[in-house]
Amino acid sequence: MSDSLPYGRQSIDEEDVAAVVAALRSDFLTTGPLVEAFEARIAALAETPHAVAVSSGTAALHSAYFALGLRAGAELVTSPLTFVATASTAALLGASVQFADVEPATGNLDPEAVAAALSPRTRAVAAVDFAGHPACYERLRPLCARHGAALVSDAAHSFGARRGGRAASALADLAVTSFHPVKLVTTAEGGAVLTSRADLALRARRFRNHGIVREAADFRASEIPGPWHYEVHELGLNYRLPDVLCALGLAQLAKLERFLARRRAIAARYGSALASIAALELPHSEPDTEPSWHLYVVRVREAKRRRDFFDALRARGLGVQLHYAPVHLHPVFRAQGFAPSRFPIAEDFASRALSLPIFPALRDGDVARVIESVHDAARAVL
Ligand SMILES: *Cc1c(COP(=O)(O)O)cnc(C)c1O
């Protein structure tokens, strides 16, 4: 590993390289047999009957919200403590984005705050498995069901995580994940929509490919002019994930369990080695969950010390990052009336958070260096 340790990065080995090279030499570069093979593998791992591979996690969110019918007049309720795409893709469909505050322990959506944010126009609630800790689906599910709202899981951080003995991605009506290089496994760019509902999978699949309908049973033409015929009933985009990248994804998935085990081991090591730093709060995992540890987010107890701690860690070669600036405070959402203090728990979380390096290729020596640097920086500035 080079001098500076990033907060996350991909792990690519010779098998991954060989898989991509073989795909490049095949007859297909984009839509070919590896797309279906990749989808079958992610569906099995996610414990959902249907998986639709798309070109990014953002495309997955956009396709999922489209499938659920989010549009002008409908509302999405989501967490402010997430990447902007969880909210922006709903807004791009014309829906109104509402936020609900998070739980202080995990940074995940607080079901009580969600209950208060629901309105007759709420079409969907999107929980985010922050840092890889599955949200409280056993409480969100009945709440959404009573309200007639769909439950979406933004599982960009939690592919492979489990809660109550089930894959986190199987706990909502529809889950989306990302295969960006910092995520749990990578296809360079890529993502997927995961669902047990065939109707939602079909809508997402069509949206991914310009809205093109090829199923003869669904044609609206009174006469089919020939075998070339297809129809567009609703507009879509080109969100396809190419065969070449599915080849990389399949090779990566074979290593998912090993990657997760390594992340869990690093998290356990940080947990025991950093617990003595009184000025830091370490991440909390709930009972009966197996987080995927996409991020290892510590919180400085005093928000006003965070900047110095950030600088001190950067000076020691740790590529620490903030996940995330609260989404409702971006100017685009402020223009819709959101202001500071509206979601105090998420804002407090974000004002004190820092993500330490965690990724499978981090060696034991790197982990020791992170621990030493964190202790040293805490002594210096906390
Ligand atoms: C990474 C991420 C996304 C977007 O995924 P991309 O593949 O980068 O488009 C969406 N939501 C969350 C929570 C993410 O971390």
Side-chain angles (χ1 to χ4, degrees):
M1 197 57 45
S2 63
D3 272 345
S4 178
L5 296 170
Y7 79 88
R9 64 159 286 152
Q10 70 276 17
S11 298
I12 298 292
D13 64 14
E14 288 309 313
E15 280 166 22
D16 296 318
V17 173
V20 170
V21 169
L24 284 170
R25 294 203 169 105
S26 79
D27 290 337
F28 303 92
L29 287 184
T30 181
T31 304
L34 298 180
V35 179
E36 268 179 55
F38 183 54
E39 288 180 337
R41 194 79 197 99
I42 14 185
L45 289 165
E47 299 176 6
T48 55
H50 309 280
V52 181
V54 292
S55 53
S56 68
T58 304
L61 283 159
H62 200 191
S63 306
Y65 292 153
F66 171 83
L68 288 169
L70 274 182
R71 62 172 83 88
E75 286 177 7
L76 172 80
V77 174
T78 191
S79 167
L81 196 63
T82 185
F83 182 57
V84 65
T86 318
S88 62
T89 45
L92 283 167
L93 288 164
S96 147
V97 177
Q98 302 300 322
F99 297 96
D101 215 343
V102 299
E103 300 170 332
T106 59
N108 283 333
L109 263 188
D110 176 351
E112 273 171 36
V114 171
L118 293 171
S119 91
R121 303 195 311 166
T122 309
R123 177 71 60 95
V125 172
V128 179
D129 298 337
F130 183 78
H133 298 260
C136 191
Y137 293 101
E138 61 276 16
R139 286 178 63 202
L140 290 169
R141 239 190 130 92
L143 186 64
C144 288
R146 269 199 310 279
H147 207 82
L151 180 57
V152 177
S153 161
D154 182 339
H157 299 184
S158 60
F159 194 72
R162 304 182 75 77
R163 182 168 181 124
R166 308 234 356 241
S169 39
L171 301 175
D173 293 304
L174 205 150
V176 298
T177 197
S178 163
F179 304 120
H180 181 275
V182 295
K183 303 289 164 65
L184 287 314
V185 289
T186 191
T187 59
E189 296 283 359
V193 177
L194 305 155
T195 181
S196 57
R197 282 181 49 186
D199 59 324
L200 296 178
L202 179 65
R203 283 179 61 78
R205 209 172 276 291
R206 286 179 177 168
F207 190 68
R208 168 183 75 177
N209 191 31
H210 309 282
I212 287 175
V213 175
R214 290 195 188 277
E215 294 79 2
D218 294 338
F219 285 160
R220 292 181 189 165
S222 48
E223 234 171 289
I224 306 305
W228 56 83
H229 182 73
Y230 65 80
E231 296 178 357
V232 173
H233 299 169
E234 288 181 283
L235 301 179
L237 289 158
N238 176 355
Y239 275 164
R240 298 186 301 264
L241 186 64
D243 239 40
V244 173
L245 298 185
C246 290
L248 175 56
L250 280 163
Q252 286 268 298
L253 287 177
K255 296 177 278 252
L256 175 64
E257 278 313 312
R258 182 150 59 75
F259 286 173
L260 290 169
R262 181 63 186 150
R263 285 179 181 276
R264 287 169 184 150
I266 295 168
R269 183 90 188 78
Y270 285 166
S272 56
L274 303 177
S276 60
I277 306 179
L280 283 186
E281 248 177 275
L282 301 187
H284 165 84
S285 39
E286 297 199 277
D288 211 19
T289 62
E290 294 171 60
S292 53
W293 294 104
H294 162 56
L295 300 173
Y296 193 89
V297 179
V298 299
R299 276 173 285 172
V300 176
R301 290 203 192 270
E302 279 187 83
K304 65 177 194 297
R305 300 247 145 259
R306 196 259 307 268
R307 176 61 201 269
D308 286 347
F309 192 50
F310 179 94
D311 290 343
L313 292 169
R314 281 283 175 101
R316 285 162 179 78
L318 304 194
V320 288
Q321 259 306 355
L322 165 62
H323 297 94
Y324 293 94
V327 174
H328 66 287
L329 296 181
H330 283 295
V332 64
F333 287 107
R334 284 201 193 204
Q336 296 173 21
F338 293 104
S341 307
R342 181 78 180 272
F343 304 105
I345 307 200
E347 290 170 36
D348 171 71
F349 197 113
S351 72
R352 301 192 291 113
L354 272 184
S355 301
L356 299 182
I358 190 165
F359 51 92
L362 215 52
R363 294 164 309 188
D364 288 348
D366 301 321
V367 174
R369 193 183 126 201
V370 172
I371 290 167
E372 202 176 303
S373 302
V374 172
H375 275 281
D376 192 44
R379 269 193 306 273
V381 302
L382 293 186

